[in-house]
C-alpha cells in the first residue's frame, strides 16, 4: 500500500533584529550624550554616513589595488582551463607527467586583509570561470581537507560535469584555494597533492596557494618528489605599506572628507600598523573608532559634514551649543584677535556668532583645499631628493606639518638647499610634476600659484636658447656673480618657499578646527594597542574593573574573599617567594574562602580544607600555570616556581 500526501506550510521570516537593535542602541548612545535629542540624532546620522563612506571607499580601493593581480591570476586559470578544452582523445597528451597547475599567490604578512582578497578571487572565479571553487584554511584541515569532499563524486565520475560538444570536451575546472599555506600540515598537503596528481589527466584540477612570507616556503614544506608534481606560477601582490599609503592618500589627505585626524592620532594608527599586524583593514577600523568617538564626545561635530549641511547646521545651533563654541580654545583666540567692538558682539550676540561661524567654516574648508594641494606639491618636490629629508611618504610630511611650522625645521632647510643644487633639466622636470599636481586644484589661490609656477618653467626652458660661453662662466665664478640660471632658480625656489609658508601652517591655528579634528590619541591607544599582560594582571588583581560587582570593591592592594578563585590564588602567590609551597598556598586559600562563606573565625570548620575547596584550588592553580605565572619544578615536588617579578 502506498500513500501520498500534499503538505502546505506557512513560513515566517523575521527581520534581523540584532543588527537593527544595535543601530538603535548606538543612536540612543548619541542622544544620551546630548541634552538636545535632535542634535544627537543629527550627529548620529552624519557619523553613520561618514562611517559608510569609509567602508565603501576602502572596499573600492582594495578592489582597485587587487585588480591587477586578480586579473593576472584569472587569466592564468583560464589559460590552464583552455588546455583541458581539447579533443577527448588528446586530453592526456596535453598534460605533462601528472603536473597540477598551481598559482603561488604571495600576499604579504598583512594576514587580516587576505580574507577580502580571497573573497574577491572566489567571486571572480564563480562569475566567469567555474562554480567549483573552494577555499580551505589550515584550522579546518587537520586531516584531508573536508571542503573538497563535495567534489568526491566528480573525481569518480568526471563525465557528470563534462559535456561533449563537436568532439570537444567542455569541463569547468575545480579550483582549490589554500588561504594560509604556511599553516597547513605538510603531510596533509603532500597526501592531497599526490591524490590530485592521479586524477589530473581526467579532471581539470587547479591549486592556489596563499603565501604570506616567501615563495621559498613551498620548497621548505614540500619535498622534491611532491613539488615536482606542481606546475607553479608566481603572483606577487602590492606590499601592505603601498596599500596603507593609498588608503591614507584617498581617505585622509583629501579636502572632500570632512573628518580629520591630529598628528598624534594618525601616528598611533600608523605605529599599530607598522609594529603589530600590517593590516590596512585594522587601520580602517581604528579610523572608524576615532570617527565614532569624535562624534560622541564633541557636541559641535554636528558641523563636521559637507559644506551645505555644515552651514545649515551652523544656522540651527542652539544657545547652549553656541556657548560651547565660544569656549573652544581656537575660537577664543580668534575673539582676542578682533577689535573690542567686534569682541562684544561675538560674546553677546548669538545671531552674529552664527554668521561668523558660517564664515569660519568656509575658511577652514578653503584652508584644507589649499593645504592638501601644496602638501602634495612639496612632497613631489622633495621625495626624489637623496636621504628623503622630509620623509619618503607623503604621510610623514603630513604628520610633520600637523605638529609644527614645517619651514622652521632643519629637514625643510636641508630639502631647500638640495633643491638649489639641482641641474636645469632636473629642476624643470621637478617643477613640471608640481604643476601637474596643482592643475586639478580649483581654488583662486592655487590657480594663481600654478600660473606663476608655469611662468618660471617657461623662463627656465627658454634659457636653452641663450649661449653662455665658458669665459662668462669662468668670469662669474671669479667675481662670485650668479649666472642667469642660478638667479632664476633661486627666484623659483623662493616662490615655492613663500607659498609653503602661506598654506602649510598647522590646522591648530585655524578657528573651529576642533569641530573636525580628533585628537584623543590616548583613547585610541588604550582601545587598539594590545597589552594582554597588563589586562590580565588588572583582571586578576582588580576583578571589579571588569566584573563591576559592588561586592568586589576593595582597597588598593587587597582582594575580596568573594572574588573568583583565580584572583584569590593570584593575590596569595604575590606574597610568596620564588618557590611556593603548594600545601601552605592551599591552606591560605581555604582561610580566605572561608571568610566569604560567612563561617565563624573561631570555629573548627574555619579554614578547613575539604574536597570541594581542594578541587577549586587545583583548578585555579592550573589556570595560573596556563597563563604563565607559575610552573612545576623538579627542585621540590610539592612546590611550584613563580615566573613573575614583584609583590614579594
Amino acid at each position: 500500500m502506498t500513500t501520498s500526501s500534499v503538505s502546505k506550510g506557512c513560513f515566517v521570516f523575521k527581520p534581523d533584529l540584532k543588527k537593527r537593535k544595535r543601530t538603535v542602541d548606538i543612536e540612543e548612545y548619541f542622544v544620551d550624550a546630548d541634552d538636545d535629542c535632535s542634535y544627537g540624532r543629527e550627529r548620529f546620522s552624519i557619523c553613520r554616513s561618514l562611517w559608510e563612506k569609509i567602508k565603501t571607499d576602502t572596499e573600492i580601493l582594495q578592489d582597485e589595488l587587487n585588480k591587477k593581480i586578480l586579473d593576472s591570476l584569472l587569466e592564468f586559470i583560464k589559460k590552464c582551463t583552455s588546455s583541458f578544452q581539447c579533443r577527448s582523445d588528446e586530453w592526456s597528451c596535453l598534460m605533462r607527467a601528472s603536473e597540477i597547475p598551481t598559482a603561488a599567490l604571495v600576499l604579504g604578512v598583512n594576514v587580516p586583509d587576505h580574507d577580502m582578497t580571497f573573497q574577491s578571487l572566489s567571486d571572480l572565479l564563480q562569475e566567469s570561470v567555474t562554480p567549483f571553487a573552494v577555499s580551505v584554511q589550515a584550522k579546518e584541515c587537520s586531516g584531508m581537507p573536508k571542503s573538497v569532499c563535495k567534489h568526491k563524486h566528480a573525481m569518480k565520475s568526471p563525465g557528470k560535469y563534462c559535456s561533449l560538444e563537436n568532439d570537444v570536451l567542455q569541463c569547468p575546472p575545480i579550483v582549490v584555494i589554500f588561504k594560509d599555506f604556511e599553516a597547513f600540515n605538510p603531510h596533509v598537503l603532500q597526501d592531497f597533492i599526490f591524490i590530485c596528481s592521479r586524477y589530473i589527466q581526467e579532471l581539470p584540477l587547479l591549486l592556489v596557494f596563499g603565501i604570506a612570507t616567501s615563495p621559498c616556503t613551498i620548497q621548505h614544506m614540500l619535498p622534491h618528489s611532491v613539488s615536482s608534481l606542481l606546475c607553479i606560477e608566481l603572483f606577487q601582490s602590492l606590499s601592505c605599506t603601498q596599500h596603507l599609503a593609498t588608503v591614507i592618500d584617498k581617505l585622509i589627505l583629501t579636502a572632500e572628507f570632512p573628518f580629520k585626524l591630529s598628528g598624534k592620532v594618525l601616528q598611533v594608527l600608523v605605529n599599530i600598523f607598522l609594529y603589530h599586524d600590517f593590516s590596512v583593514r585594522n587601520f580602517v577600523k581604528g579610523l572608524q573608532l576615532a570617527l565614532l568617538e569624535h562624534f560622541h564626545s564633541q557636541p559641535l561635530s554636528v558641523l563636521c559634514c559637507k559644506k551645505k549641511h555644515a552651514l545649515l547646521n551652523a544656522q540651527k545651533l542652539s544657545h547652549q551649543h553656541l556657548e560651547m563654541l565660544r569656549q573652544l580654545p581656537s575660537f577664543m583666540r580668534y575673539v582676542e584677535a578682533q577689535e573690542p567692538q567686534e569682541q562684544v558682539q561675538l560674546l553677546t550676540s548669538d545671531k552674529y556668532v552664527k554668521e561668523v561661524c558660517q564664515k569660519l567654516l568656509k575658511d577652514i574648508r578653503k584652508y584644507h583645499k589649499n593645504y592638501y594641494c601644496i602638501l602634495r606639491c612639496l612632497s613631489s618636490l622633495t621625495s626624489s631628493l637623496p636621504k628623503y629629508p622630509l620623509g619618503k611618504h607623503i604621510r610623514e610630511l603630513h604628520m610633520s606639518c600637523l605638529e609644527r611650522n614645517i619651514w622652521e625645521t632643519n629637514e625643510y632647510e636641508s630639502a631647500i638647499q638640495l633643491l638649489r643644487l639641482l641641474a636645469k633639466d632636473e629642476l624643470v622636470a621637478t617643477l613640471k610634476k608640481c604643476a601637474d599636481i596643482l592643475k586639478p586644484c580649483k581654488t583662486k589661490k592655487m590657480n594663481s600659484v600654478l600660473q606663476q609656477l608655469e611662468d618660471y618653467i617657461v623662463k627656465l626652458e627658454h634659457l636653452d636658447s641663450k649661449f653662455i660661453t665658458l669665459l662668462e662662466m669662468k668670469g662669474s665664478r671669479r667675481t662670485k656673480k650668479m649666472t642667469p640660471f642660478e638667479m632664476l632658480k633661486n627666484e623659483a625656489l623662493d616662490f615655492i618657499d613663500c607659498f609653503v609658508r602661506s598654506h602649510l601652517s598647522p590646522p591648530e591655528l585655524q578657528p573651529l578646527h576642533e569641530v573636525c579634528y580628533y585628537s584623543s590619541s590616548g583613547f585610541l591607544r588604550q582601545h587598539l594597542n594590545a597589552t594582554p599582560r597588563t589586562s590580565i594582571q588588572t583582571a586578576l588583581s582588580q576583578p571589579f574593573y571588569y566584573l563591576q560587582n559592588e561586592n568586589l570593591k576593595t582597597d588598593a592592594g587587597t582582594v575580596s574573599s568573594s572574588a573568583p578563585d583565580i584572583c584569590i590564588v593570584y593575590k596569595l602567590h604575590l606574597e610568596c617567594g620564588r618557590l611556593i609551597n603548594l600545601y601552605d598556598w592551599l591552606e591560605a586559600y581555604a582561610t580566605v574562602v572561608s571568610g566569604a562563606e560567612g563561617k565563624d573565625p573561631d570555629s573548627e570548620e574555619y579554614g578547613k580544607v575539604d574536597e570541594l575547596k581542594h578541587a577549586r584550588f587545583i583548578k585555579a592553580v592550573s589556570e595560573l600555570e596556563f597563563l604563565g605565572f607559575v610552573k612545576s619544578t623538579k627542585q621540590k615536588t610539592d612546590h611550584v616556581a613563580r615566573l613573575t617579578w614583584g609583590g614579594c
Side-chain angles (χ1 to χ4, degrees), residues 62 65-66 69 106-110 113-114 212 236-247 273 278-280 392-393 395:
Q62 189 75 16
L65 291 171
N66 287 332
I69 187 172
V106 183
L107 295 173
V109 294
N110 49 328
D113 299 338
H114 293 177
Q236 179 78 51
S237 71
L238 292 174
S239 68
C240 53
T241 53
Q242 289 175 305
H243 280 216
L244 177 68
T246 305
V247 169
F273 171 86
F278 295 101
S279 172
V280 176
K392 184 177 181 181
H393 302 288
R395 72 165 185 268

Side-chain angles (χ1 to χ4, degrees), residues 245-379:
T246 305
V247 169
I248 291 178
D249 186 58
K250 301 296 183 181
L251 284 184
I252 297 178
L253 303 182
T254 171
E256 301 304 317
F257 194 68
F259 176 66
K260 307 296 178 185
L261 301 177
S262 69
K264 291 183 178 179
V265 170
L266 183 57
Q267 187 66 61
V268 167
L269 293 178
V270 172
N271 285 345
I272 291 174
F273 171 86
L274 294 175
Y275 300 115
H276 286 267
D277 53 11
F278 295 101
S279 172
V280 176
R281 186 177 179 182
N282 290 343
F283 176 89
V284 173
K285 286 182 179 178
L287 177 60
Q288 290 176 320
L289 177 61
L291 174 75
L292 183 66
E293 174 61 16
H294 175 70
F295 274 85
H296 173 258
S297 61
Q298 175 55 271
L300 293 173
S301 58
V302 71
L303 304 175
C304 180
C305 52
K306 292 182 179 180
K307 181 181 178 181
K308 291 183 180 179
H309 291 90
L311 298 179
L312 184 62
N313 290 340
Q315 192 62 36
K316 295 179 180 178
L317 287 176
S318 65
H319 174 75
Q320 179 185 0
H321 287 84
L322 290 174
E323 286 300 317
M324 292 180 183
L325 188 145
R326 289 186 175 105
Q327 294 173 10
L328 291 177
S330 64
F331 189 79
M332 293 173 67
R333 289 195 298 268
Y334 173 80
V335 173
E336 292 172 357
Q338 306 306 311
E339 296 296 329
Q341 192 173 4
E342 178 87 358
Q343 292 180 2
V344 173
Q345 281 191 295
L346 289 170
L347 295 175
T348 58
S349 174
D350 287 355
K351 182 179 178 181
Y352 185 70
V353 170
K354 289 180 181 180
E355 295 175 358
V356 172
C357 178
Q358 290 178 317
K359 173 184 174 298
L360 295 178
L361 289 173
K362 291 179 182 178
D363 290 344
I364 197 170
R365 183 172 178 82
K366 291 178 183 177
Y367 161 80
H368 282 133
K369 283 186 175 181
N370 296 329
Y371 173 89
Y372 291 119
C373 288
I374 301 302
L375 181 74
R376 295 178 190 280
C377 183
L378 182 60
S379 178

Side-chain angles (χ1 to χ4, degrees), residues 424 459-474 476 483-485:
K424 184 180 72 66
K459 290 178 181 178
L460 286 168
E461 290 178 331
H462 188 63
L463 288 175
D464 288 341
S465 62
K466 295 182 180 180
F467 180 76
I468 302 176
T469 64
L470 293 175
L471 184 61
E472 289 175 339
M473 294 176 63
K474 184 178 179 180
S476 65
T483 64
F485 167 66

Side-chain angles (χ1 to χ4, degrees), residues 98-102 193 207 209 218 222 226-232:
S98 302
E99 285 188 346
I100 307 170
T102 304
I193 293 170
L207 306 181
F209 293 159
I218 297 177
L222 303 177
V226 178
S227 60
S228 61
L229 300 175
L230 305 175
C231 180
I232 302 175

Side-chain angles (χ1 to χ4, degrees), residues 61-74:
L61 285 175
Q62 189 75 16
D63 290 340
E64 290 176 353
L65 291 171
N66 287 332
K67 187 178 186 304
K68 186 176 181 181
I69 187 172
L70 291 180
D71 288 348
S72 301
L73 192 58
L74 207 62

Side-chain angles (χ1 to χ4, degrees), residues 374-388:
I374 301 302
L375 181 74
R376 295 178 190 280
C377 183
L378 182 60
S379 178
S380 173
L381 289 170
T382 60
S383 59
S384 60
L385 296 176
K387 297 183 180 180
Y388 310 110

